[in-house]
Amino acid sequence: MLNQGLVENLVNVVADSGRKKVGHVGIKSATSAPSVSTDTELISEYVSYEGLPGNNKTGRGMRIVSEYVGGIDELWPKGKSEVEPWHDEVVKALWRRNFHNGNVIAIVEDAGNTLAFKNAFHMLRMVCGSKHPSEVTIFDIYDFFDSRPDIATGTRRHYQRQIKQMFTGMRNLGIIPLTCTPDLDIKLEKAKRGQPRPLSMEMVTNLITNAKEPYNYWFALGCFAGMRASEIAMIRGEDLETDALGNYCIRIPNGKGGTNLTVPCTDYLREMILSFNTKGRLWVVTPLYLSKLAGAEMVRLGVKEKGRDSRGISFHSSRHYYATMMLAASKSVTGQKDWDLVRQVMRHKDISTTQIYAYSDNSEVNNVAENAFSRFNFGH
């Protein structure tokens, strides 16, 4: 059951905490705190392209990209590893395909350098080595993963997807023959079901009240709306909407899996979004940079351990917290745990995915176990 007094205290503390407009957060450096830049400064620094499909069709989102990648030197500086003859050919062809398909979503710090594409191409280079992609077999892919047994399950699955996407793109562009299909034999690693790692109430109170701006806003959106880092980075003022009954909600037009759904919006989040007084993006920051900055702030406040937290605590734990609290609140309102309701607000297709996020309150099970075995006190 929820501790209503603690919840009300948290809401009051959050509401009373001072707020001021953050402005647009620039991405000058991955190590320094974000700086404030105006729209004019941003436009002069980055190239805006309005012809991409997706966000711009609905008038939402801002995709800032470079129209052309000059070659392998821009994506991979010389001296980092050997440059093979096929690298330039593949880079230029795949980048153009990515660009014209509207797949380049991230805001770039340097022209022609998006982290997602760079990482995917790096993965292809690691798998191929000195071989041309057309000569690669499934055994080369096996050897790559066998040489890295310490890769986490989720990361391994992500790498496998990257390899599949790169080989599919190369076949479509004629870089490799249609008969070159080593990626089709890749069996995606199955995600292991683990114990959810939600933030505690004390951690959330610490993050919301003591975190610096704009980090406290990011934590609020994660904890009270269940938004992912990628969704918070792209949120716009116009994404605050009202439904048919007049209830406020936050639309997430480019959610995971290409969804276009909404999440409930509390009064605190509504006031926070309206305080920016803009229909555009609240922060200009990449999802990866947002996660890094938020993680560093969690370390500063003692919520997270530096590096990989042994408890599994990260910025994404705010989403676990949201699912857990929604599940507990559903029981206090309806009399039973409403997993389907939590699945809807978490925007999952299957309840089994939701169960990975939401920590079920085991107090009833613990009480039954205590009654069942209390007679065995062994003289204590």
Side-chain angles (χ1 to χ4, degrees), residues 157-218:
R157 183 182 179 87
H158 176 64
Y159 289 167
Q160 292 167 342
R161 287 187 180 277
Q162 284 183 324
I163 294 171
K164 282 179 172 288
Q165 290 170 358
M166 295 299 269
F167 272 93
T168 300
M170 289 188 292
R171 281 195 295 271
N172 291 341
L173 295 170
I175 298 174
I176 60 177
L178 296 177
T179 54
C180 181
T181 59
D183 55 303
L184 299 185
D185 293 323
I186 298 177
K187 293 183 179 179
L188 293 178
E189 197 85 11
K190 291 185 178 180
K192 297 179 181 178
R193 182 178 176 183
Q195 186 74 15
R197 295 290 187 237
L199 299 173
S200 66
M201 181 72 75
E202 291 72 22
M203 290 178 178
V204 174
T205 304
N206 186 9
L207 292 173
I208 300 297
T209 57
N210 298 324
K212 299 177 181 178
E213 295 183 2
Y215 313 129
N216 55 340
Y217 299 142
W218 299 348

Side-chain angles (χ1 to χ4, degrees), residues 7 10-20 22 204-205 207-225 240 248 250 264-276 282-283:
V7 172
L10 174 62
V11 172
N12 292 333
V13 169
V14 167
D16 293 337
S17 61
R19 297 196 306 272
K20 62 180 180 179
V22 175
V204 174
T205 304
L207 292 173
I208 300 297
T209 57
N210 298 324
K212 299 177 181 178
E213 295 183 2
Y215 313 129
N216 55 340
Y217 299 142
W218 299 348
F219 293 131
L221 288 168
C223 293
F224 304 149
L240 179 65
Y248 278 93
I250 300 174
C265 181
T266 64
D267 291 340
Y268 170 68
L269 294 180
R270 176 179 61 83
E271 293 176 7
M272 183 198 79
I273 295 173
L274 290 176
S275 69
F276 284 84
L282 305 189
W283 305 284

Side-chain angles (χ1 to χ4, degrees), residues 51-337:
L52 290 175
N55 270 354
N56 291 314
K57 284 186 175 180
T58 60
R60 292 188 174 88
M62 176 175 59
R63 297 181 178 185
I64 302 176
V65 298
S66 172
E67 292 192 46
Y68 176 72
V69 172
I72 185 63
D73 289 342
E74 291 188 25
L75 272 182
W76 212 258
K78 289 181 179 179
K80 188 155 188 176
S81 62
E82 291 296 325
V83 177
E84 301 296 337
W86 57 270
H87 287 169
D88 262 333
E89 170 197 6
V90 174
V91 161
K92 292 178 181 179
L94 285 178
W95 176 267
R96 290 195 184 102
R97 176 176 180 270
N98 262 7
F99 177 77
H100 290 294
N101 283 355
N103 293 331
V104 184
I105 301 174
I107 298 174
V108 297
E109 294 185 36
D110 303 302
N113 175 18
T114 62
L115 188 62
F117 182 80
K118 184 175 180 179
N119 288 344
F121 181 70
H122 175 53
M123 185 59 50
L124 180 66
R125 293 184 64 180
M126 297 290 286
V127 169
C128 295
S130 60
K131 291 184 177 180
H132 188 277
S134 61
E135 302 172 352
V136 171
T137 67
I138 185 60
F139 298 106
D140 295 312
I141 299 175
Y142 287 159
D143 290 341
F144 169 77
F145 285 107
D146 289 343
S147 64
R148 293 162 176 79
D150 58 334
I151 298 178
T153 302
T155 305
R156 185 181 295 266
R157 183 182 179 87
H158 176 64
Y159 289 167
Q160 292 167 342
R161 287 187 180 277
Q162 284 183 324
I163 294 171
K164 282 179 172 288
Q165 290 170 358
M166 295 299 269
F167 272 93
T168 300
M170 289 188 292
R171 281 195 295 271
N172 291 341
L173 295 170
I175 298 174
I176 60 177
L178 296 177
T179 54
C180 181
T181 59
D183 55 303
L184 299 185
D185 293 323
I186 298 177
K187 293 183 179 179
L188 293 178
E189 197 85 11
K190 291 185 178 180
K192 297 179 181 178
R193 182 178 176 183
Q195 186 74 15
R197 295 290 187 237
L199 299 173
S200 66
M201 181 72 75
E202 291 72 22
M203 290 178 178
V204 174
T205 304
N206 186 9
L207 292 173
I208 300 297
T209 57
N210 298 324
K212 299 177 181 178
E213 295 183 2
Y215 313 129
N216 55 340
Y217 299 142
W218 299 348
F219 293 131
L221 288 168
C223 293
F224 304 149
M227 294 177 64
R228 302 176 178 92
S230 59
E231 297 163 348
I232 296 173
M234 303 300 291
I235 188 173
R236 298 170 63 89
E238 66 180 2
D239 292 334
L240 179 65
E241 301 178 354
T242 55
D243 59 20
L245 300 177
N247 299 313
Y248 278 93
C249 59
I250 300 174
R251 181 166 295 279
I252 303 177
N254 287 280
K256 189 175 181 180
T259 56
N260 182 8
L261 302 172
T262 62
V263 294
C265 181
T266 64
D267 291 340
Y268 170 68
L269 294 180
R270 176 179 61 83
E271 293 176 7
M272 183 198 79
I273 295 173
L274 290 176
S275 69
F276 284 84
N277 194 29
T278 180
K279 291 185 177 180
R281 289 184 59 182
L282 305 189
W283 305 284
V284 179
V285 61
T286 62
L288 180 63
Y289 191 53
L290 186 149
S291 295
K292 285 185 176 181
L293 290 173
E297 185 69 358
M298 295 175 78
V299 172
R300 185 184 74 84
L301 295 174
V303 173
K304 176 183 177 297
E305 297 173 1
K306 191 172 183 179
R308 178 173 289 185
D309 194 293
S310 60
R311 304 163 298 170
I313 297 295
S314 67
F315 179 74
H316 202 64
S317 297
S318 62
R319 187 164 157 81
H320 287 238
Y321 170 83
Y322 177 75
T324 300
M325 295 300 288
M326 288 295 289
L327 181 64
S330 70
K331 182 179 179 181
S332 64
V333 173
T334 65
Q336 60 183 1
K337 297 173 184 175

